[in-house]
Amino acid sequence: EPEVTQTPSHQVTQMGQEVILRCVPISNHLYFYWYRQILGQKVEFLVSFYNNEISEKSEIFDDQFSVERPDGSNFTLKIRSTKLEDSAMYFCASSLTGGTGYTFGSGTRLTVV
Amino acid sequence: ELKVEQNPLFLSMQEGKNYTIYCNYSTTSDRLYWYRQDPGKSLESLFVLLSNGAVKQEGRLMASLDTKARLSTLHITAAVHDLSATYFCAVDMNRDDKIIFGKGTRLHILP
């Protein structure tokens, strides 16, 4: 069964450093998403991406965050200057068309120290 | 703004018992998703409910959707320890942009 692949599985970074989280969505999917989950809490929407542009973003997704689909297969989330409160599990998801079901990746656990 | 509420948030039950998790949401939607999450793991899709009255079953789990009441239920029949996990419902508001998750129900099944 096709899956969404995320790398790395765990990243530790110092506060103020830039991090890039990588995702390879399912190949024929058209919609891409990032969500995050602070330990033990709910899953929060960050951003959705379609047709090479952001279609919606949440209040969490401020100027420190950016997304890119650089080569038609990868989908990346960049955090420019990490804060302690950015520590969370970050999930990438993709869907063929909106509303037909979302496939989530295995997640990247980001720890900011 | 769409709000999704699950209850209970924590549930400890014995093997062999039946129980129901409830998911209420605040605005009109006809698409609802149930996910399972094991500790430290990803979100595994359980059910996609796409219309009013939809009912789906997989093993000991059955999910239903009542769009008029804005309510979905996840029913567990004769629980077994392997079903211990956190269960999330999520609602699709605009069909394209995002799904909004409930806080999750942490289910612990005692052997």
Side-chain angles (χ1 to χ4, degrees), chain A residues 66-77:
Chain A
S66 62
V67 289
E68 202 175 37
R69 190 158 158 80
D71 56 12
S73 62
N74 291 285
F75 179 51
T76 62
L77 174 69

Side-chain angles (χ1 to χ4, degrees), chain B residues 29-108:
Chain B
S29 174
D30 58 1
R31 295 172 182 259
L32 190 137
Y33 309 85
W34 284 97
Y35 289 90
R36 169 183 171 145
Q37 187 181 41
D38 291 298
K41 303 292 185 182
S42 186
L43 297 153
E44 175 192 351
S45 179
L46 294 175
F47 300 108
V48 180
L49 302 170
L50 299 179
S51 61
N52 186 40
V55 177
K56 291 195 174 179
Q57 182 161 7
E58 181 75 33
R60 299 175 189 273
L61 301 178
M62 183 173 72
S64 66
L65 177 62
D66 181 343
T67 58
K68 292 178 182 174
R70 299 177 186 167
L71 170 69
S72 179
T73 61
L74 180 66
H75 187 73
I76 303 150
T77 302
V80 293
H81 181 65
D82 286 352
L83 291 179
S84 296
T86 298
Y87 293 85
F88 290 94
C89 66
V91 178
D92 188 331
M93 196 164 111
N94 294 326
R95 301 201 174 191
D96 291 339
D97 293 333
K98 63 187 177 190
I99 52 174
I100 302 297
F101 283 81
K103 290 185 176 179
T105 296
R106 191 176 299 175
L107 178 63
H108 181 51

Side-chain angles (χ1 to χ4, degrees), chain A residues 42-87:
Chain A
K42 67 186 282 187
V43 180
E44 300 174 292
F45 168 76
L46 292 179
V47 65
S48 58
F49 192 87
Y50 170 72
N51 200 25
N52 282 320
E53 60 183 22
I54 291 173
S55 51
E56 187 166 350
K57 58 184 180 180
S58 72
E59 291 175 354
I60 303 168
F61 194 88
D62 62 21
D63 292 344
Q64 293 299 314
F65 291 87
S66 62
V67 289
E68 202 175 37
R69 190 158 158 80
D71 56 12
S73 62
N74 291 285
F75 179 51
T76 62
L77 174 69
K78 183 194 290 186
I79 309 174
R80 264 181 271 281
S81 177
T82 50
K83 308 184 191 70
L84 294 175
E85 54 264 37
D86 293 328
S87 295

